[in-house]
């Protein structure tokens, strides 16, 4: 048998190779006969999600430790099982089947890629399990037929609208679009185009490119030939690094609007200050002024030696939200009853809470609770998607500088 792994706040950061077959995380000791909540973490530890997945798992472990150290939710501690989906739908299907059929989990958190979310949702739906993810593909909303999936990242319909709104506010007239060829980014690009054209504008070029290329000069040349004043670039960091390097070498003047998980200080490290100066970065605002974020960020940084990104903050919120829903539903509640409390514990009208213990104590007084998370205020739309505020940042001298905050809006 595997030796238990200590799920304390001093847990180490799992590397991609160490986490390839995570299984039951060690260190989870429970009293004989103690009723636990079996929680699955499905993260992209390897593959294209590798820059994010290990930190997302670390955030999940932090939240599990917080709940368990407080005695559990409704007296039930979380027992955590983790799998690497390798950012591949085929691997994800095998991993989630293991979580469902062997580990007997009651919820799955931490899904990053939309391709993984779409591939695994039929399995988790058939098993009537709660899932929580950071997927942005619009199809995630329409496929959430049982209402068991919760999107902690804004859908790309909302992202696309936000990109177009920022382009209008900045006075751009000739936007072009480049998008990584997957459902998430093509969806984001299409919503940008629709939102821009809805106000009478025209996109100068629309190019979808294939992943895993050593150069994107051909695709970039097609975009630059249209003489855009700004390019909406829907990309991951590896491909964005290549595209921006080749754009900088071209010497052609234009701006870029990009998602915050790509346009950040790690991108600056890869390209240097000159090539990234003036990039516009848009993301769900990690709720940096919320007490929940400040406490989580301090603990996260102690373990990982870095600031948490938005995905890590969202994963932390998944576990705390789930724990509060369990607390509200009660120790004997089934998955459906717990799922039915998720909106209630994050909805407006309740007493604000910024941690599991705060929210638990409010619930035990018979009051409603409104958990404001580390990632956002957690207001969910009708399909289970968050509708957060967006931070608009400029990269200046290698640093992200917040310029404004705009409210997220669902498409008309």
């Amino acid at each position: 048998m595997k030796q238990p792994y200590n799920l304390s706040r001093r847990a180490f950061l799992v590397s991609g190779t160490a986490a390839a077959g995570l299984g039951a995380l060690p260190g989870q000791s429970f009293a004989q006969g103690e009723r636990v909540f079996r929680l699955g973490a499905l993260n992209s530890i390897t593959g294209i999600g590798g820059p994010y997945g290990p930190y997302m798992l670390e955030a999940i472990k932090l939240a599990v430790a917080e709940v368990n150290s407080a005695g559990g939710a409704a007296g039930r501690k979380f027992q955590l099982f983790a799998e690497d989906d390798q950012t591949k739908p085929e691997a994800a299907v095998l991993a989630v089947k293991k979580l469902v059929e062997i580990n007997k989990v009651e919820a799955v958190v931490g899904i990053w890629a939309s391709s993984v979310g779409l591939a695994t949702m039929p399995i988790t739906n058939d098993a009537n399990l709660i899932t929580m993810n950071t997927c942005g593909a619009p199809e995630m909303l329409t496929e959430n037929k049982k209402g068991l999936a919760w999107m902690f990242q804004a859908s790309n319909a909302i992202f696309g609208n936000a990109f177009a709104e920022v382009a209008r506010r900045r006075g751009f007239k000739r936007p072009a679009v480049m998008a990584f060829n997957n459902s998430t980014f093509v969806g984001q690009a299409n919503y940008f185009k629709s939102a821009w054209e809805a106000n009478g504008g025209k996109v100068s070029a629309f190019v979808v490119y294939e992943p895993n290329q050593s150069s994107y000069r051909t695709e970039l040349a097609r975009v630059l030939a249209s003489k855009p004043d700004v390019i909406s670039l829907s990309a991951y960091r590896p491909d964005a690094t290549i595209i921006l390097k080749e754009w900088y070498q071209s010497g052609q003047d234009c701006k870029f609007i990009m998602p915050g998980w790509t346009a950040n200080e790690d991108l600056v490290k890869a390209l240097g200050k000159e090539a990234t100066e003036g990039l516009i970065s848009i993301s769900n605002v990690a709720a940096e002024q919320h007490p929940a974020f400040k406490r989580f960020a301090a603990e996260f940084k102690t373990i990982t030696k870095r600031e948490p990104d938005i995905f890590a903050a969202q994963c932390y919120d998944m576990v705390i939200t789930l724990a509060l829903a369990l607390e509200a539903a009660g120790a004997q509640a089934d998955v459906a009853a717990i799922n039915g409390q998720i909106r209630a514990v994050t909805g407006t009208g309740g007493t604000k809470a910024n941690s599991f213990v705060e929210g638990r104590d409010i619930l035990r007084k018979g009051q409603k609770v409104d958990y404001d998370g580390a990632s956002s205020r957690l207001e969910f739309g009708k399909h289970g998607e968050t509708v957060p505020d967006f931070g608009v940042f400029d990269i200046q001298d290698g640093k992200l500088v917040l310029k404004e905050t705009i409210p997220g809006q669902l498409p008309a």
Side-chain angles (χ1 to χ4, degrees), residues 31 38 41 63 75 79-80 82 108 119 136 156 167 203 217 226 233 240 253 289 300 340 366 372 379 397 399:
R38 298 169 73 86
Q79 184 176 13
L80 184 62
V108 178
N156 281 299
V203 171
R217 290 187 187 279
S226 71
L233 179 59
D253 185 33
Q289 299 309 311
F300 184 89
D372 274 352
E379 301 296 335
D397 193 31
K399 302 292 184 183

Side-chain angles (χ1 to χ4, degrees), residues 248-318:
Y248 185 69
Q249 291 170 346
S250 78
Q252 184 163 327
D253 185 33
C254 71
K255 295 290 187 180
F256 283 81
I257 297 177
M258 300 168 61
W261 61 82
T262 299
N264 53 34
E265 292 182 11
D266 287 333
L267 187 67
V268 176
K269 291 177 184 176
L271 287 170
K273 292 181 181 180
E274 290 186 5
T276 53
E277 184 71 16
L279 294 182
I280 302 167
S281 176
I282 301 176
S283 66
N284 291 35
V285 181
E288 294 183 354
Q289 299 309 311
H290 286 189
F293 178 84
K294 291 179 180 179
R295 184 183 57 258
F296 161 66
E299 294 183 357
F300 184 89
K301 192 171 182 179
T302 298
I303 292 169
T304 66
K305 311 306 179 187
R306 60 176 283 160
E307 297 291 338
D309 61 21
I310 186 65
F311 297 126
Q314 288 161 349
C315 281
Y316 172 83
D317 283 342
M318 291 175 195

Side-chain angles (χ1 to χ4, degrees), residues 1 12 26 46 56 64 86 134 137 166 179 229 255 259 265 270 276 298 303 380:
M1 290 181 60
F12 67 85
T46 57
M56 294 168 74
V64 166
Q86 303 174 41
T134 66
V166 171
D229 53 5
K255 295 290 187 180
E265 292 182 11
T276 53
I303 292 169
F380 291 101

Side-chain angles (χ1 to χ4, degrees), residues 7 13 19 30 52 80-82 89 111 116 120 162 174 187 200 229 258 298 318 332 339 345 360 368 374 390 396 402:
L7 266 179
L13 176 65
F30 303 98
Y52 314 104
L80 184 62
F81 302 84
I111 297 171
V116 168
T120 56
R174 290 181 54 78
D229 53 5
M258 300 168 61
M318 291 175 195
Q332 303 305 316
N339 191 65
V345 299
R360 179 201 65 187
K368 292 182 178 180
F390 287 93
Q396 297 178 349
L402 180 63

Side-chain angles (χ1 to χ4, degrees), residues 28-39 67-68 71-81 104-107 326-327 329-338:
Q28 305 174 87
S29 56
F30 303 98
Q32 187 173 2
E34 183 176 8
R35 191 176 179 209
V36 299
F37 186 94
R38 298 169 73 86
L39 178 65
V67 173
N68 287 354
R76 295 175 63 183
K77 292 184 178 180
F78 283 146
Q79 184 176 13
L80 184 62
F81 302 84
K104 308 294 184 184
V105 300
E106 298 162 84
L326 173 55
E327 180 72 36
Q332 303 305 316
D334 60 13
V335 170
I338 297 166

